């Protein structure tokens, strides 16, 4: 049973097509960690455009995967990039998103043998 994610939106979007669902979760497992690294790099280097670009890219994925807290937090990262805030203001939020993504990936790998 999924604890860190909810695939209801994915199933709805796919008309309950298990192959489509597996494709979506496979993309999540392979692409989102790389996108998170880009966000982290943007934060570390105060490259607000880089952080915004990748935050904006993964935002719909977090929503689709039913990761509500991570979705709300990625909105905070986007807002931080727009006002070009200081790094310490966003570090804890980024760390929380990263932790949730890592837990979700671990859970998906176990649930779907990926």
């Amino acid at each position: 049973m999924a604890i860190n994610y909810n695939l209801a939106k994915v199933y709805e979007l796919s008309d309950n097509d298990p192959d489509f669902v597996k494709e979506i979760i496979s993309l999540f497992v392979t692409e989102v960690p790389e996108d998170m690294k880009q966000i982290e790099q943007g934060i570390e280097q105060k490259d607000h455009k880089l952080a915004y670009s990748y935050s904006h890219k993964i935002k719909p994925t977090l929503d689709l995967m039913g990761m509500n807290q991570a979705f709300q937090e990625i909105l905070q990262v986007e807002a931080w990039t727009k006002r070009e805030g200081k790094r310490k203001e966003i570090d804890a939020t980024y760390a929380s998103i990263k932790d949730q993504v890592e837990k979700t990936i671990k859970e998906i790998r176990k649930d779907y043998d990926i």
Side-chain angles (χ1 to χ4, degrees), residues 5-26 28 60-67 108 112:
Y5 65 97
N6 181 335
L7 297 178
K9 289 180 182 179
V10 178
Y11 277 103
E12 183 180 331
L13 181 68
S14 73
D15 288 331
N16 293 320
D17 178 349
D19 292 333
F20 180 82
V21 172
K22 189 133 184 169
E23 180 77 21
I24 294 295
I25 60 175
S26 293
F28 178 84
T61 305
L62 297 176
D63 184 42
L64 187 63
M65 294 294 292
M67 299 175 65
I108 285 172
Y112 290 90

Side-chain angles (χ1 to χ4, degrees), residues 41-106:
Q41 182 180 338
I43 291 169
E44 287 177 357
Q45 297 175 356
K46 295 181 185 152
D47 184 340
H48 295 96
K49 287 185 172 129
L50 178 66
Y52 175 81
S53 173
Y54 283 91
S55 296
H56 190 70
K57 179 182 175 192
I58 71 168
K59 179 174 62 175
T61 305
L62 297 176
D63 184 42
L64 187 63
M65 294 294 292
M67 299 175 65
N68 299 327
Q69 182 180 344
F71 177 74
Q72 292 302 316
E73 290 173 341
I74 207 71
L75 294 176
Q76 293 174 25
V77 173
E78 277 190 333
W80 173 82
T81 63
K82 288 178 183 175
R83 71 174 188 279
E84 299 188 355
K86 297 188 184 328
R87 180 178 165 190
K88 67 181 179 182
E89 297 170 343
I90 205 65
D91 280 343
T93 303
Y94 172 78
S96 174
I97 298 166
K98 184 177 178 184
D99 181 58
Q100 291 171 68
V101 166
E102 288 171 353
K103 285 179 180 174
T104 299
I105 289 171
K106 186 176 181 182

